[in-house]
């Protein structure tokens, strides 16, 4: 595996379910990110982890809970989501830490639908 | 907050035509990036620009870092069907902790 891998690629969940999105990067990068992508809108930064510490939490509701157990893995735990949370969730990584993040490498995304 | 205004929002062109899109802001940026996102995939970096006035090419793609540092342009020459996708600009200011600000995207459709 190379690059940034996200699983699952598609997820449908009810509002009372608990699920998790997983991201793995094979690039040796030291910063990882979660973005939310909704149609016709700019990418919205949700969370940033640099050297496994959360350095940014962009006013994201607590129903989204990130976890970064090591520099290669990032999770987004989901619980009691709302239909408006339906979107494409993109994971990205970069080298040089979050402050030196000139270039992000993105995964293919996890398409989430909340019923 | 900071915003990047990317235009046009969408384009429908004939194969072989040239394409131009741009990104503007009221703020100065130190880095401009252009990404392409194909259906079902994540954004992929096309070109990175680090200096005002810089003009960089990647095959049929050419991007420029505006001299005012408040805008950037992407041109695609002689478009082909595989150019279809959404093109995003992104800007970074050095005093913003490395955070990238993304434009809304330009959706390109190419008719064979």
């Amino acid at each position: 595996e190379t690059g940034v891998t996200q699983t699952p690629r598609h997820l449908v969940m009810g509002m009372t379910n608990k699920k998790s999105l997983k991201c793995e990067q094979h690039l040796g990068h030291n910063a990882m990110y979660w973005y939310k992508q909704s149609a016709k809108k700019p990418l919205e930064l949700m969370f940033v982890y640099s050297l496994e510490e959360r350095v940014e939490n962009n006013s994201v509701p607590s129903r989204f809970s990130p976890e970064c157990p090591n520099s290669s893995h990032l999770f987004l735990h989901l619980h009691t989501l709302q239909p408006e949370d339906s979107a494409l969730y993109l994971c990205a990584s970069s080298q040089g830490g979050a402050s030196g993040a000139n270039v992000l490498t993105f995964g293919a995304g996890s398409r989430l639908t909340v019923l | 907050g900071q915003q990047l205004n990317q235009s046009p929002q969408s384009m429908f062109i004939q194969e072989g035509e040239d394409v131009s899109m741009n990104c503007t802001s009221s703020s100065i940026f130190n880095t401009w990036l252009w990404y392409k996102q194909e259906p079902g995939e994540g954004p992929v970096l096309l070109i990175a620009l680090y200096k005002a006035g810089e003009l960089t090419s990647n095959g049929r793609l050419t991007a420029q870092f505006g001299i005012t540092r408040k805008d950037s342009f992407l041109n695609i020459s002689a478009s082909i069907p595989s150019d279809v996708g959404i093109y995003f600009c992104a800007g970074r200011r050095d005093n913003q902790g490395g955070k990238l600000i993304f434009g809304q995207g330009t959706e390109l459709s190419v008719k064979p």
Side-chain angles (χ1 to χ4, degrees), chain A residues 9 33 35 37 40-43 45 56 58 88 90 98-109, chain B residues 9-10 31 33 35 37 40-45 48 50 86 88 92 97-100 102-104 107:
Chain A
R9 293 293 307 273
Y33 308 75
Y35 281 85
Q37 185 177 28
K40 309 292 185 188
K41 292 175 70 175
L43 274 68
L45 180 63
E56 183 145 355
N58 223 21
L88 182 69
L90 290 164
S99 63
N102 277 322
V103 174
L104 300 178
T105 301
F106 286 91
Chain B
Q9 191 171 9
S10 60
T31 299
L33 306 175
Y35 284 85
Q37 184 176 26
E41 299 296 329
V44 174
L45 182 69
Y50 299 105
I86 304 176
F88 290 97
R92 174 179 172 266
K99 186 190 301 185
L100 283 177
F102 284 85
Q104 310 97 308
E107 185 167 7

Side-chain angles (χ1 to χ4, degrees), chain A residues 62-92:
Chain A
S62 59
R63 57 186 184 269
F64 294 91
S65 174
E67 179 190 359
C68 186
N70 55 62
S71 60
S72 299
H73 294 85
L74 185 65
F75 294 89
L76 189 62
H77 302 301
L78 316 169
H79 63 99
T80 58
L81 294 191
Q82 305 297 310
E84 60 265 29
D85 296 323
S86 299
L88 182 69
Y89 288 84
L90 290 164
C91 175

Side-chain angles (χ1 to χ4, degrees), chain A residues 1 7 20 23-24 30 34 41-42 48-51 54 63 74 78 96 98 110:
Chain A
E1 292 273 13
T7 55
S20 296
C23 178
E24 185 173 0
N30 55 17
W34 280 115
K41 292 175 70 175
V48 182
Y49 277 82
S50 180
L51 299 171
R54 192 191 309 181
R63 57 186 184 269
L74 185 65
L78 316 169
S110 293

Side-chain angles (χ1 to χ4, degrees), chain B residues 24-43:
Chain B
T24 61
S25 174
S26 57
S27 303
I28 289 173
F29 286 87
N30 302 104
T31 299
W32 285 98
L33 306 175
W34 284 93
Y35 284 85
K36 178 189 177 187
Q37 184 176 26
E38 296 186 5
E41 299 296 329

